[in-house]
Amino acid sequence: MASVWLVFVLWIYISAMIKVIQASCVKIHTPAPLVLAGSPVSVSCSIEDDCSLTKGKDFRVAWKIDNDFAPSNLSYQKSNRTYSVIIPSLPDAGATIACAVCVKENCQIVNGVTVKVGYPPSVPKNLGCYLNLTSLQLLCQWDPGQEMASHPTNFTLRIFRTESNRVIPDPYVIPPRAHSCSIQRESYHLFSEVEINVTAVNVFGNATSETLKLIPMETAIFDPPKIKRVEADVLGCLNYTWSLAKSQDWLKMSLSVELRLKTVNNTLDKKLVLATRKQKSKINVCGLLHGTDYSTIMRVKYSPLRNWSEWSDPEIATTLMKAPTGSLETWLKVNDQNAELYWKPSENFSANGRNLLYTVESREPKKALCFTQENHCIFNLPKKVKTVYLIAANAAGRSDHTVVVYRIKGQGSVSKFSVHPQSETSLLIEWERLKSPHVTGYVLEWRSLSETPAAPLSFTLMDKTNNSTIVTGLTPYMPYNMSIYPKYDDWIGRPLTFTAYSSEKAPSVAPMLNVTKISHSYVKLKWNEIPLGQRNGIIQGYTVFVWDERNDIKVLMTSANETSVVVRDLQPFTTYNALMTVHTMGGSLNGSLRSFTTGNIEGIDMVLFVIPACIGSSLLLIIVVFACFGKNERVKMCLWPIIPDPANSSIKRWTNTDPLQGMPPFKEDKDTVLVYLSHFSLLDLSENEPFKSDYVKENQWSHDIDSHDESHSSFQTGVRYDSEHDRDSVPYATVVFGGPYQNHSSGLPAYVRSESTQPLLGAEDPGSPPPYENVSPSGSVSKVQRFTTYPQNSTESEENEELWEEFPMLKSLEIRDTDHM
């Protein structure tokens, strides 16, 4: 096995050596391995005479640019064994050009060369220079543009004076990759104009920047100056003494100076630009507030067209004080005798000093009610005092008093308002003006609800023509309690109070859900309110999501005032997940996930379910029973219709005066008529089984009811007797009414048979016809084919009397016309 691998390796090595020897007989040449972008490229390939690749073969030479063959029209044969190709242009990244010897369709690359493409240097841009007064060197820098990584670009800086047009003999050669240069002091004069340019050079060419003209001193950047001393010798004025930095103190020229004064509490800002000032000269600034601390900074420059130096360190000084001037805006709130007085500076008020002390006093009686350095005061207002006076004082004196008039509380309030955020720190408040002629103005007060301790009250006063105001200086995402009071001639109206935010976002935290009560079918979830400082807006409501393992989701939405919710219609012994989302106008936030498992149905729950069900069923049963007894006759006729028993029946005359028991009233509104028999049949039994009830069969009836004469009305009495066979028989009768018998849904059969074996007429009623005697089996019955209706006159009655005597049972069915009775 090892010998096989050895032979394989030797074969590969020998094949590679053969290819190297063959390729060594082909030489490739190009005039320039690096060419300018867009320039044509010429490459030649020379084949030796004894080259084994071509000796004795019909071959041709092809060229490949990277992986693609070059068009044949670009190549040509330069001499007997030399072949060339001219490529018009190469890609920006360059290309590899290879020479291939082709025998028929088989081409073998024998040599190649890599040609790179380059560009001339970019023109340097943004050339700028400035003078460093510490080292007195002129520092210049520029933007080189795009550079080639393989062929670096060198830069050369030249400087010459404009008045003599003389170039500095030795230009500054900058190292590769450097884009700045320092020009030494001997190459220029501080106050003489010079010209500077930069030239970029690489193998493909050079490029020169635009010429920069400048006076070195005008490009100088000064170090921050220093404020040496500040004096306050005149009311409202400050005097400053200053100088340049120590390293630049030797300069004696005039400079432009800028001062910026700012009160310590940043309420006022004053900027002063002075045209020219020499250092160590005094600068006097007036028109300042009295007794006010000012922080001052300054900076300098030489030329108006150049940049300023950096700002100096701040220096704090205080102007001279004098007594406060102007009045204060006040807002007095009285609850019983407890008074709260708030004030703030008006537009014409000036403190004129620091550490103001405020005094609240009454004149009748002469009494000081409050001393404070704050902007509010709480005191006990005497009953007879209706006016108090507010005075501000400093070390230089006291201000004029501000009159504060006490107004009682009265009726009237603002009914409609709206709040519109203007920015993250301001709100626009609008309201509807009251139409009362006694309204003199409005007061809007507000206080932050999230600060601890409680934030001081702020307020603004407006006249009666105003119906809106903008409140500024609010903290974003913090709640403010605001109230609007109408002011009348002698009283203060009731406030309209609301909570507002200058801007809202989603709450910082979400409430934690707690399970307070749980059963097999419901759960009660409770949560705590979000602290005011973390709400970040007005809570619009809560959404509770509850779902089980099958992802059956219940969504319950609650108002902002609710802190609990009951989820009903849950499945027993099932695990549920609950999630709460809290909403504001600025966004929503999801809380943490809470899981719980419902319980099994308990015994008491089962009892509470079964007992009401049983009570309900019992009540329903009682109602049905009472209904049945209350409608006994009707229910009885519906459920158990009365069927005459032939054994206990007698046939008699029926008239319209007899009650029709068991007969429901006719629906039609008709006169009372006689009820006639519509069909009559006699049943005779076999002489072998004369009295067996099971002998009665359907084929023993003589004829169907439909076989009688249709000329007779269904309300007439018809009798048919089967006389085809004369045999002993016991007659039975079937009576069928032409009208309805019962009004139940199930239809009665066409024939109703009696199964009784007792005599049909056995009643002892004296008013009934005589009892019927059974016919002897040996006897015979005369054949009567048909009976007509009862005769209407006496003549016919007498003629048929003998006919009826032969049928005593039929005679008992005689029905007489009640109109003749």
Side-chain angles (χ1 to χ4, degrees), residues 8 19 29 64 66 71 281 287 363 410 474 558 675 691:
F8 179 72
K19 289 184 178 182
H29 171 72
K64 290 191 73 173
D66 289 335
S281 63
R363 299 292 174 86
L474 305 179
T558 64
V675 178
F691 299 108

Side-chain angles (χ1 to χ4, degrees), residues 309-324:
S309 69
E310 297 295 330
W311 289 103
S312 67
D313 294 333
E315 192 71 21
I316 298 177
T318 304
T319 58
L320 296 178
M321 290 189 297
K322 72 174 185 178

